[in-house]
Amino acid sequence: MARDHVQSAERLGTGAEAPFLELLARRASADAYEQPVLLARAEGLSAERVDALERAKVLALRVRAEMEGRRRREAELSALFETAHDLAGLRDVDAVLQAIVQRARSLLSTDVAYLTLHDEAAGDTYMRVTEGSVAARFQQLRLGMGEGLGGLVAQTARPYVTPDYFDDDRFQHTRTIDTGVSDEGLVAILGVPLMIGPQVIGVLFAADRRARVFEREEIALLGSFAALAAAAIDTANLLTETRSALDRLARANEIIRDRSGAVERASDVHDRLAELVLRGGGVHDVAAAVSQVLDGTVEFAEVSTARTAALEASRAEGHAVRHGQDWIAAVSAGDELFGALVLRGHPGLDPVDQRTLERAAMVTSLLLLARRSAVEAEQRVRGELLDDLLDGRDRDPRVLRERAARLRADLDATHVVLAARLEGTSGDADQEAAARRRLWSAASHLASTRRGLAATRAGGTVLLLPLEPGDSATDLARRTAGELGTAVHERVTVGASGPVSDLASRPDAVAAAHAEGQRCLDALRLLGRTGDGAAADDFGFLGLLLAGDRDIAGYVERTIGEVVTYDERRGTDLVRTLDAYFDCGMSPARTKDELHVHVNTVAQRLERVGRLLGADWQSPARTLEIQLALRLHRLSSSPVSR
């Protein structure tokens, strides 16, 4: 097979990439990429040919690594969303924890994954769930606080990783723990804490039976699973507390009357929040649902408007706290604070309703994290596709169309490339960087809603937007400048290319269109029209210099097309009269001598020209454009000498 690859490459001449493209297409192992080079050397091909294959091999391995990385990131995100879905529909906490451990082991490709929980009564931690374990003694281990790697994680509330457990003296080794680890044959271990608020409730582990260095991304991924596991345990605890409350309420009618409404509301909000998560609801949907359940007004407040001592206390304690007549529950994830859920004018809140507000805050943080991750991933993919089009990479039309289709974009439609740039006057580097990020975010949102693409390029932003029927590049540029300017509260200047089509088969056309849009952007700024949008057609004869395709026929048509068509249909001499009129210094008397007609005939013809071209056709700017169009028309109509 590899010999066929080399022969195929030889027939392709300089196409050294052919065998490696086939290897990429069938997802071959990394070792297989050496075969075309080895065979080329064995068959005595030229050194130049072997060098070309070596370079193609390096590039192909780099592409393979990038593809594998993307597939891995997609698998990680999918697993996190599936786990969040399990949590939203929580019925059996053991099943959710088992799924978390299984997915962690699969994504990190470890031999074993397991989870321990803190036993407050005994003051130690015990094995709750294991996956891949074969040693009974290991599955029954209990770790005291500070003992072993897991005890150190539980004691410090920080992740710890060791490439070789038995050679690591950072934690306390005990005979019981070391024996259990030895029975299991574990060598490399990674542990991250399970936390509810500031409290460590357990540890999630991933371990291998060989020496291994865990990467930063793998530690972060296991930390994400640990957060979901802690949420599942916390949810189970809440349900347990609710059931206990129901048991106590059942034994006393008075307590039932006091608590039944709160329990019903808690159940109602749990169902509503689960439904919101499943159908992709937003932050304000959560606030509206909790408002109905708690019979009050619940609002989501940004950090900038809600930052108070009460918010910091809620964040530190992991509970809703009272603030005057209101209740505040921090919406946070790890060290990041998103804002708060604020229950207005409801000072008397029983513990169940308080827990309901806290649960809503946790669901809100999960929704914000999921939404942000999805948006960032889509923005990144849209930017990568546009970058590839701008750089002329990935020239396979089928692949380009498939990538665009996944983003709801159609590369077979007619598009316009727009170059956008902020026109802020701030001299502060941090403020300018923040403004550029806002512009990028606004452009990405616009591209997403318009089925287009957006990317950053050379300090500005590039958009590829479809051109709707009846719309023009000028209209799209001006509309885009207005929408982006409104979104970022700054003036945004936008230069547009002419319409381009068939982008999948002609990826170079995107780069040419971007250059044209950039020239229009520069022209707008030079003319002092910052904050506006325009295309090459808006600059008259200057558009010939700005347009990438130098559309001379289009310029002639736009400028004197009505006059040319009139002559063709009626057999008149208006074009010739215009030529003579300008050659004679715009003098009707000299023009009639040049044409050998009566001066009234000249006047009548010029009057007809005015009706066709508009009343301002003899203004200085228009006459310059008309004379240039006449010259171009004359040149294009002259016979070519042979």
Short mmCIF file of all heavy atoms in Angstrom, two decimals, residues 57-89:
data_model
loop_
_atom_site.label_atom_id
_atom_site.label_comp_id
_atom_site.label_asym_id
_atom_site.label_seq_id
_atom_site.Cartn_x
_atom_site.Cartn_y
_atom_site.Cartn_z
N LYS A 57 5.58 15.02 5.20
CA LYS A 57 5.31 14.17 6.37
C LYS A 57 5.17 15.01 7.64
O LYS A 57 4.24 14.83 8.44
CB LYS A 57 6.45 13.15 6.55
CG LYS A 57 6.27 12.23 7.76
CD LYS A 57 7.56 11.55 8.14
CE LYS A 57 8.53 12.52 8.78
NZ LYS A 57 9.75 11.87 9.28
N VAL A 58 6.10 15.96 7.83
CA VAL A 58 6.06 16.82 9.03
C VAL A 58 4.76 17.60 9.07
O VAL A 58 4.09 17.70 10.10
CB VAL A 58 7.27 17.77 9.05
CG1 VAL A 58 7.13 18.79 10.17
CG2 VAL A 58 8.56 16.98 9.22
N LEU A 59 4.37 18.18 7.91
CA LEU A 59 3.13 18.96 7.86
C LEU A 59 1.92 18.07 8.12
O LEU A 59 1.01 18.45 8.85
CB LEU A 59 3.01 19.63 6.49
CG LEU A 59 1.78 20.52 6.29
CD1 LEU A 59 1.77 21.63 7.34
CD2 LEU A 59 1.75 21.10 4.90
N ALA A 60 1.93 16.86 7.54
CA ALA A 60 0.79 15.95 7.73
C ALA A 60 0.67 15.54 9.19
O ALA A 60 -0.44 15.45 9.74
CB ALA A 60 0.95 14.72 6.84
N LEU A 61 1.81 15.25 9.85
CA LEU A 61 1.77 14.88 11.28
C LEU A 61 1.25 16.05 12.11
O LEU A 61 0.53 15.84 13.10
CB LEU A 61 3.17 14.48 11.74
CG LEU A 61 3.65 13.10 11.26
CD1 LEU A 61 5.10 12.88 11.63
CD2 LEU A 61 2.78 11.98 11.82
N ARG A 62 1.61 17.28 11.71
CA ARG A 62 1.09 18.44 12.45
C ARG A 62 -0.43 18.56 12.28
O ARG A 62 -1.16 18.82 13.24
CB ARG A 62 1.76 19.71 11.93
CG ARG A 62 1.50 20.95 12.78
CD ARG A 62 2.19 22.16 12.20
NE ARG A 62 3.62 21.88 11.98
CZ ARG A 62 4.38 22.59 11.18
NH1 ARG A 62 3.89 23.61 10.51
NH2 ARG A 62 5.67 22.29 11.05
N VAL A 63 -0.91 18.34 11.04
CA VAL A 63 -2.36 18.39 10.79
C VAL A 63 -3.05 17.28 11.57
O VAL A 63 -4.11 17.47 12.16
CB VAL A 63 -2.65 18.26 9.28
CG1 VAL A 63 -4.14 18.10 9.03
CG2 VAL A 63 -2.11 19.48 8.54
N ARG A 64 -2.43 16.06 11.58
CA ARG A 64 -3.02 14.94 12.32
C ARG A 64 -3.14 15.27 13.80
O ARG A 64 -4.18 15.00 14.44
CB ARG A 64 -2.15 13.70 12.12
CG ARG A 64 -2.65 12.46 12.85
CD ARG A 64 -1.69 11.29 12.64
NE ARG A 64 -2.18 10.11 13.33
CZ ARG A 64 -1.94 9.85 14.62
NH1 ARG A 64 -1.23 10.71 15.35
NH2 ARG A 64 -2.41 8.76 15.19
N ALA A 65 -2.07 15.87 14.36
CA ALA A 65 -2.11 16.22 15.78
C ALA A 65 -3.20 17.24 16.06
O ALA A 65 -3.92 17.16 17.07
CB ALA A 65 -0.75 16.77 16.22
N GLU A 66 -3.36 18.22 15.14
CA GLU A 66 -4.41 19.23 15.33
C GLU A 66 -5.80 18.60 15.26
O GLU A 66 -6.68 18.90 16.06
CB GLU A 66 -4.28 20.32 14.26
CG GLU A 66 -5.34 21.41 14.33
CD GLU A 66 -5.25 22.25 15.57
OE1 GLU A 66 -4.19 22.25 16.22
OE2 GLU A 66 -6.25 22.89 15.93
N MET A 67 -5.98 17.68 14.28
CA MET A 67 -7.27 17.00 14.14
C MET A 67 -7.57 16.16 15.38
O MET A 67 -8.71 16.14 15.88
CB MET A 67 -7.27 16.14 12.88
CG MET A 67 -7.22 16.94 11.58
SD MET A 67 -6.93 15.91 10.13
CE MET A 67 -8.34 14.83 10.18
N GLU A 68 -6.55 15.43 15.87
CA GLU A 68 -6.76 14.61 17.07
C GLU A 68 -7.10 15.49 18.27
O GLU A 68 -7.96 15.16 19.09
CB GLU A 68 -5.49 13.81 17.36
CG GLU A 68 -5.20 12.70 16.36
CD GLU A 68 -6.27 11.62 16.39
OE1 GLU A 68 -6.86 11.40 17.46
OE2 GLU A 68 -6.54 11.02 15.34
N GLY A 69 -6.42 16.66 18.36
CA GLY A 69 -6.72 17.58 19.47
C GLY A 69 -8.15 18.08 19.41
O GLY A 69 -8.84 18.17 20.43
N ARG A 70 -8.60 18.39 18.20
CA ARG A 70 -9.98 18.89 18.08
C ARG A 70 -10.99 17.80 18.41
O ARG A 70 -12.00 18.06 19.05
CB ARG A 70 -10.22 19.42 16.66
CG ARG A 70 -9.43 20.69 16.35
CD ARG A 70 -9.80 21.27 15.02
NE ARG A 70 -9.00 22.45 14.72
CZ ARG A 70 -9.12 23.17 13.63
NH1 ARG A 70 -10.03 22.86 12.74
NH2 ARG A 70 -8.36 24.22 13.41
N ARG A 71 -10.71 16.57 17.92
CA ARG A 71 -11.64 15.48 18.26
C ARG A 71 -11.67 15.24 19.77
O ARG A 71 -12.73 14.98 20.35
CB ARG A 71 -11.22 14.21 17.52
CG ARG A 71 -11.64 14.16 16.06
CD ARG A 71 -11.52 12.78 15.47
NE ARG A 71 -10.16 12.38 15.29
CZ ARG A 71 -9.46 12.55 14.18
NH1 ARG A 71 -10.00 13.14 13.14
NH2 ARG A 71 -8.20 12.15 14.09
N ARG A 72 -10.48 15.38 20.40
CA ARG A 72 -10.45 15.19 21.85
C ARG A 72 -11.24 16.28 22.57
O ARG A 72 -12.00 16.00 23.49
CB ARG A 72 -9.00 15.19 22.32
CG ARG A 72 -8.86 14.88 23.82
CD ARG A 72 -7.40 14.78 24.25
NE ARG A 72 -6.71 16.04 24.09
CZ ARG A 72 -5.82 16.29 23.13
NH1 ARG A 72 -5.51 15.35 22.24
NH2 ARG A 72 -5.23 17.46 23.05
N ARG A 73 -11.06 17.54 22.11
CA ARG A 73 -11.81 18.63 22.77
C ARG A 73 -13.31 18.47 22.57
O ARG A 73 -14.11 18.75 23.47
CB ARG A 73 -11.33 19.98 22.22
CG ARG A 73 -9.93 20.37 22.69
CD ARG A 73 -9.62 21.82 22.39
NE ARG A 73 -9.50 22.05 20.96
CZ ARG A 73 -8.38 21.93 20.28
NH1 ARG A 73 -7.27 21.54 20.89
NH2 ARG A 73 -8.35 22.19 18.98
N GLU A 74 -13.72 18.01 21.36
CA GLU A 74 -15.14 17.79 21.13
C GLU A 74 -15.68 16.69 22.05
O GLU A 74 -16.78 16.80 22.60
CB GLU A 74 -15.37 17.42 19.67
CG GLU A 74 -15.16 18.58 18.70
CD GLU A 74 -15.25 18.16 17.25
OE1 GLU A 74 -15.44 16.95 17.00
OE2 GLU A 74 -15.13 19.02 16.38
N ALA A 75 -14.89 15.62 22.21
CA ALA A 75 -15.31 14.53 23.09
C ALA A 75 -15.42 15.01 24.54
O ALA A 75 -16.36 14.65 25.26
CB ALA A 75 -14.33 13.37 22.99
N GLU A 76 -14.46 15.86 24.97
CA GLU A 76 -14.50 16.38 26.34
C GLU A 76 -15.74 17.23 26.56
O GLU A 76 -16.45 17.09 27.57
CB GLU A 76 -13.24 17.18 26.63
CG GLU A 76 -11.98 16.35 26.68
CD GLU A 76 -10.72 17.20 26.75
OE1 GLU A 76 -10.84 18.43 26.69
OE2 GLU A 76 -9.64 16.62 26.85
N LEU A 77 -16.02 18.14 25.62
CA LEU A 77 -17.19 19.01 25.76
C LEU A 77 -18.47 18.21 25.74
O LEU A 77 -19.40 18.47 26.50
CB LEU A 77 -17.19 20.06 24.63
CG LEU A 77 -18.25 21.15 24.74
CD1 LEU A 77 -18.08 21.94 26.02
CD2 LEU A 77 -18.16 22.08 23.54
N SER A 78 -18.53 17.19 24.86
CA SER A 78 -19.72 16.35 24.79
C SER A 78 -19.94 15.61 26.10
O SER A 78 -21.06 15.53 26.60
CB SER A 78 -19.57 15.36 23.63
OG SER A 78 -20.65 14.45 23.62
N ALA A 79 -18.85 15.08 26.69
CA ALA A 79 -18.97 14.35 27.95
C ALA A 79 -19.45 15.27 29.07
O ALA A 79 -20.28 14.88 29.90
CB ALA A 79 -17.64 13.72 28.32
N LEU A 80 -18.94 16.50 29.09
CA LEU A 80 -19.37 17.46 30.12
C LEU A 80 -20.85 17.80 29.97
O LEU A 80 -21.60 17.88 30.95
CB LEU A 80 -18.53 18.73 30.06
CG LEU A 80 -17.07 18.59 30.55
CD1 LEU A 80 -16.31 19.85 30.28
CD2 LEU A 80 -17.05 18.26 32.04
N PHE A 81 -21.30 17.98 28.72
CA PHE A 81 -22.71 18.29 28.51
C PHE A 81 -23.58 17.09 28.87
O PHE A 81 -24.67 17.25 29.45
CB PHE A 81 -22.95 18.69 27.05
CG PHE A 81 -22.75 20.15 26.79
CD1 PHE A 81 -21.64 20.61 26.11
CD2 PHE A 81 -23.68 21.07 27.24
CE1 PHE A 81 -21.45 21.95 25.87
CE2 PHE A 81 -23.50 22.43 27.02
CZ PHE A 81 -22.38 22.87 26.33
N GLU A 82 -23.14 15.87 28.53
CA GLU A 82 -23.91 14.68 28.90
C GLU A 82 -24.00 14.55 30.41
O GLU A 82 -25.06 14.18 30.95
CB GLU A 82 -23.25 13.45 28.29
CG GLU A 82 -23.38 13.35 26.78
CD GLU A 82 -22.57 12.20 26.21
OE1 GLU A 82 -21.91 11.50 27.01
OE2 GLU A 82 -22.58 12.01 24.99
N THR A 83 -22.91 14.84 31.10
CA THR A 83 -22.93 14.75 32.56
C THR A 83 -23.85 15.81 33.15
O THR A 83 -24.59 15.55 34.11
CB THR A 83 -21.51 14.91 33.12
OG1 THR A 83 -20.65 13.94 32.49
CG2 THR A 83 -21.48 14.68 34.61
N ALA A 84 -23.80 17.03 32.60
CA ALA A 84 -24.70 18.09 33.06
C ALA A 84 -26.15 17.69 32.82
O ALA A 84 -27.04 17.98 33.63
CB ALA A 84 -24.38 19.41 32.36
N HIS A 85 -26.40 17.02 31.67
CA HIS A 85 -27.75 16.54 31.38
C HIS A 85 -28.18 15.50 32.41
O HIS A 85 -29.32 15.52 32.91
CB HIS A 85 -27.77 15.93 29.97
CG HIS A 85 -29.11 15.42 29.56
ND1 HIS A 85 -29.56 14.16 29.88
CD2 HIS A 85 -30.11 16.00 28.85
CE1 HIS A 85 -30.77 13.98 29.40
NE2 HIS A 85 -31.12 15.08 28.74
N ASP A 86 -27.26 14.57 32.77
CA ASP A 86 -27.58 13.58 33.81
C ASP A 86 -27.91 14.27 35.12
O ASP A 86 -28.85 13.88 35.83
CB ASP A 86 -26.39 12.64 34.02
CG ASP A 86 -26.14 11.74 32.82
OD1 ASP A 86 -27.05 11.64 31.97
OD2 ASP A 86 -25.06 11.16 32.74
N LEU A 87 -27.14 15.31 35.44
CA LEU A 87 -27.36 16.02 36.70
C LEU A 87 -28.71 16.73 36.70
O LEU A 87 -29.41 16.75 37.70
CB LEU A 87 -26.23 17.04 36.92
CG LEU A 87 -26.34 17.95 38.16
CD1 LEU A 87 -26.44 17.11 39.42
CD2 LEU A 87 -25.15 18.88 38.24
N ALA A 88 -29.07 17.30 35.52
CA ALA A 88 -30.35 18.02 35.44
C ALA A 88 -31.53 17.08 35.68
O ALA A 88 -32.55 17.48 36.25
CB ALA A 88 -30.47 18.70 34.07
N GLY A 89 -31.40 15.84 35.21
CA GLY A 89 -32.49 14.87 35.40
C GLY A 89 -32.17 13.88 36.50
O GLY A 89 -32.51 12.70 36.40
#
